[in-house]
Amino acid sequence: MRIGILTGGGDCPGLNAVLRGAVRASEVTYDSTVIGFRNAWAGVMQDDYETLDVDRCRGILPLGGTILGTSRDQPFAHEDGLKRVRKAYDRHGLDAIIAIGGEGSMHVVSRLHENGFPVIGVPKTIDNDISLTEMTFGFQTAVQICTDAIDRLHTTAESHHRVLVVEVMGRHVGHIAIWSGLAGGAAITLTPEEPFDIDELCERIVGRHRKGRFATIIVVAEGALPKPGGFEIPEPDIDIYGHKILGGIGSILAREIQGRTGIESRMTALGHIQRGGSPVAFDRVLGTRFGVAAVEAALESDWGQMVALRSGRIERVAVADAVGSLKMVDPDLLRLNAMFQPRIPGDEHPGLPVED
Ligand code: F6P
């Protein structure tokens, strides 16, 4: 079999593990060939590619980023996009394309499948927001990077008795925020799932600092928003693909908190550091499993499927079912998060003392 492969959307630690897994399975186990398209669908559109073999993939397992490069280009953004995809299949004698990407890329896989193309999807995102898979690779690495940063911020926050706001990624969901907030012992974690009340937030902080010996670490997902009437957030800029460029809530929030409470506040935005560098072991293993499973799905001509982690096993789900909605943070984790924030009178946690 001849398989085309590409990595699309924002890069993510573990992408190279998927490529290596797919190439090893193809070449060594299943006597197949892999063509890698550079810079996602842009490579398909422009016929920019390289042959991927075991030699080319040597040493890439611990490497962050993607050796193929990535972009947010996609066939449906071009008038003749489908024709160009067809040409790529014909020119290279491809039996399948495996597309590794986030929500946007999975939509493309779904639409290509509807149009009769033999495609398989591999879900990728540090945000961990793709439905029907318990986890995406890259997420654990991002959480570890944020947790390490929060660990460091504790000592400086405590020395100065400051509020430190840590802004992490998460456009629509707060998986990174919740996991790193819990792991790093943040006092408060704010997610896009639950718009926050700025007055109540400040009351919690003031209550905590009243004793004079506390500092407060607040983790905020870039997509978190105050409840209506809270404070204004400027409209974000738009990138060349029409996506909102998020980031900025952290500095606005730190300013608001300092203005409203009088407690010195600073902010740290972790930004793309969360996506850079070597994947943690979990992401290397998940990426490898996904890469091999995607090749096996292609060999069985199980088109239109996305490989997924479900109850710890690698399964296949219809990609069309995975793209309908995003995977939000589990309500149990949100409840856990609420239990660990500073108490104020009126909180519904019987048995726990109110901080006064
Ligand atoms: O999709 C993952 C993500 O990391 C989002 O959390 C973030 O908003 C976005 O990518 C930023 O991507 P870029 O700056 O590369 O366009």
Side-chain angles (χ1 to χ4, degrees):
M1 179 174 255
R2 287 177 66 80
I3 299 171
I5 199 163
L6 57 90
T7 53
D11 74 324
C12 177
L15 281 169
N16 288 324
V18 183
L19 295 175
R20 175 179 171 273
V23 167
R24 293 275 295 227
S26 299
E27 189 179 321
V28 180
T29 311
Y30 298 117
D31 195 22
S32 295
T33 306
V34 180
I35 306 284
F37 290 101
R38 295 198 185 100
N39 303 319
W41 294 101
V44 177
M45 299 291 97
Q46 298 154 14
D47 200 31
D48 186 6
Y49 69 96
E50 60 178 301
T51 302
L52 291 183
D53 57 15
V54 169
D55 255 0
R56 173 71 173 102
C57 293
R58 221 176 281 290
I60 68 170
L61 184 59
L63 272 191
T66 159
I67 59 164
L68 284 178
T70 186
S71 75
R72 295 196 196 274
D73 194 11
Q74 53 112 329
F76 297 99
H78 301 260
E79 221 169 274
D80 60 347
L82 283 186
K83 243 193 226 160
R84 293 206 233 173
V85 175
R86 169 60 51 215
K87 255 192 191 164
Y89 273 92
D90 293 345
R91 193 181 291 121
H92 297 287
L94 296 180
D95 302 293
I97 287 185
I98 294 174
I100 311 163
E103 245 275 294
S105 304
M106 293 307 107
H107 266 288
V108 173
V109 170
S110 178
R111 288 182 69 186
L112 286 174
H113 177 58
E114 273 166 33
N115 281 276
F117 288 92
V119 275
I120 303 290
V122 176
K124 162 251 50 154
T125 163
I126 64 162
D127 288 359
N128 196 31
D129 59 2
I130 298 182
S131 287
L132 301 187
T133 182
E134 278 154 19
M135 216 165 278
T136 42
F137 58 87
F139 170 64
Q140 289 291 342
T141 304
V143 168
Q144 192 58 54
I145 292 168
C146 296
T147 304
D148 291 346
I150 296 167
D151 284 351
R152 287 181 177 278
L153 290 169
H154 271 290
T155 57
T156 172
E158 282 152 20
S159 301
H160 290 265
H161 313 292
R162 281 175 172 159
V163 173
L164 277 186
V165 177
V166 189
E167 182 185 295
V168 301
M169 282 186 171
R171 296 178 80 74
H172 309 289
V173 297
H175 295 285
I176 296 177
I178 287 284
W179 275 65
S180 61
L182 286 169
I188 294 168
T189 298
L190 305 172
T191 64
E193 281 85 346
E194 297 184 309
F196 60 90
D197 180 324
I198 183 67
D199 294 322
E200 186 193 303
L201 178 70
C202 289
E203 192 184 343
R204 291 188 193 285
I205 296 167
V206 169
R208 187 176 156 80
H209 282 249
R210 201 168 288 145
K211 288 176 186 160
R213 63 173 190 273
F214 284 108
T216 300
I217 303 272
I218 300 179
V219 174
V220 60
E222 62 184 351
L225 289 172
K227 284 186 177 162
F231 53 86
E232 287 302 307
I233 304 216
E235 270 302 302
D237 290 340
I238 303 292
D239 72 11
I240 55 167
Y241 299 105
H243 293 128
K244 289 181 179 172
I245 303 175
L246 295 188
I249 178 75
S251 53
I252 303 173
L253 187 59
R255 218 175 31 238
E256 285 288 329
I257 291 170
Q258 181 165 308
R260 288 165 186 256
T261 65
I263 301 169
E264 212 185 1
S265 305
R266 297 281 192 275
M267 86 93 198
T268 300
L270 295 177
H272 292 83
I273 289 173
Q274 293 160 88
R275 282 202 336 222
S278 193
V280 297
F282 181 91
D283 290 336
R284 297 181 197 190
V285 175
L286 184 59
T288 303
R289 293 171 83 191
F290 275 179
V292 171
V295 167
E296 288 175 344
L299 285 159
E300 289 171 29
S301 305
D302 203 0
W303 310 126
Q305 298 291 301
M306 182 184 90
V307 296
L309 183 70
R310 295 168 70 77
S311 304
R313 298 175 57 84
I314 306 297
E315 296 183 0
R316 297 174 199 160
V317 298
V319 70
D321 294 339
V323 294
S325 58
L326 291 175
K327 182 181 70 200
M328 311 306 271
V329 173
D330 189 302
D332 276 350
L333 276 183
L334 292 174
R335 199 175 60 84
L336 191 65
N337 177 45
M339 284 173 63
F340 278 81
Q341 66 185 356
R343 315 253 73 81
I344 53 172
D347 275 347
E348 294 168 10
H349 296 301
L352 293 175
V354 170
E355 216 159 77
D356 59 9

